[in-house]
Amino acid sequence: MSISEIQFKIVGLCLASLFCIGCGGGSNYVVPELMEVTGTVTLDGEPLSNASVIFSPQPGSKGTGANGVTDSNGKYTLKHQSDTLGIEPGKYYVTFSKWAMADGSPIPEGKTAADVEAKDIIPKKYREVTELGPKNIAEVKAKGDTFDFQLKSK
């Protein structure tokens, strides 16, 4: 199975999970045991603010994934799809995204990325899981963990 097929299946599973939760899961949905996961993301040694940190389950992992957004110090805390802090134990691919103006400045307040033709300023090798790019992998264990990521623009 190629990496693109795996990515397609991961996205499909995530969307299906969100659909099920949003369509009447309501009070019947039981939040699994979650481990708090935090960390820091830097780009070229500087804290990376307002970046998305996405943990997507590797094939065979029982977890459904989680994401977080970095603060001004580059710190993030993962939030499960149930809107509860944490993530299920398991092995995850970790990708990053940060939308900004072409010059790297923030998107003006009240505008969307599409309004201003913004772009994802994170280098492509960190935005997706590919056969060529580095695979940031995190294994969340029963006790939770801290994962710091040092990204490089070149």
Side-chain angles (χ1 to χ4, degrees), residues 128-150:
E128 55 189 45
V129 178
T130 68
E131 294 174 4
L132 301 176
K135 295 180 179 118
N136 288 305
I137 296 174
E139 183 174 3
V140 177
K141 300 190 181 204
K143 294 180 182 174
D145 217 335
T146 297
F147 296 97
D148 297 328
F149 299 96
Q150 293 83 36

Side-chain angles (χ1 to χ4, degrees), residues 16-82:
S17 297
L18 290 173
F19 180 77
C20 290
I21 290 170
C23 292
S27 62
N28 295 332
Y29 179 71
V30 177
V31 177
E33 180 182 10
L34 302 175
M35 305 299 129
E36 185 175 330
V37 170
T38 61
T40 302
V41 182
T42 59
L43 180 62
D44 297 328
E46 297 295 323
L48 184 62
S49 64
N50 297 316
S52 296
V53 181
I54 304 108
F55 278 53
S56 302
Q58 288 185 312
S61 180
K62 294 180 182 178
T64 56
N67 61 64
V69 177
T70 58
D71 66 13
S72 61
N73 296 313
K75 295 185 182 299
Y76 69 92
T77 300
L78 291 181
K79 188 179 273 190
H80 184 260
Q81 64 189 8
S82 64

Side-chain angles (χ1 to χ4, degrees), residues 88-123:
E88 298 137 304
K91 290 185 180 181
Y92 297 90
Y93 294 117
V94 184
T95 54
F96 307 88
S97 179
K98 179 178 178 174
W99 289 86
M101 302 293 289
D103 64 2
S105 63
I107 296 171
E109 197 168 323
K111 298 288 185 179
T112 67
D115 292 338
V116 295
E117 297 182 18
K119 66 177 194 166
D120 196 333
I121 63 169
I122 301 293

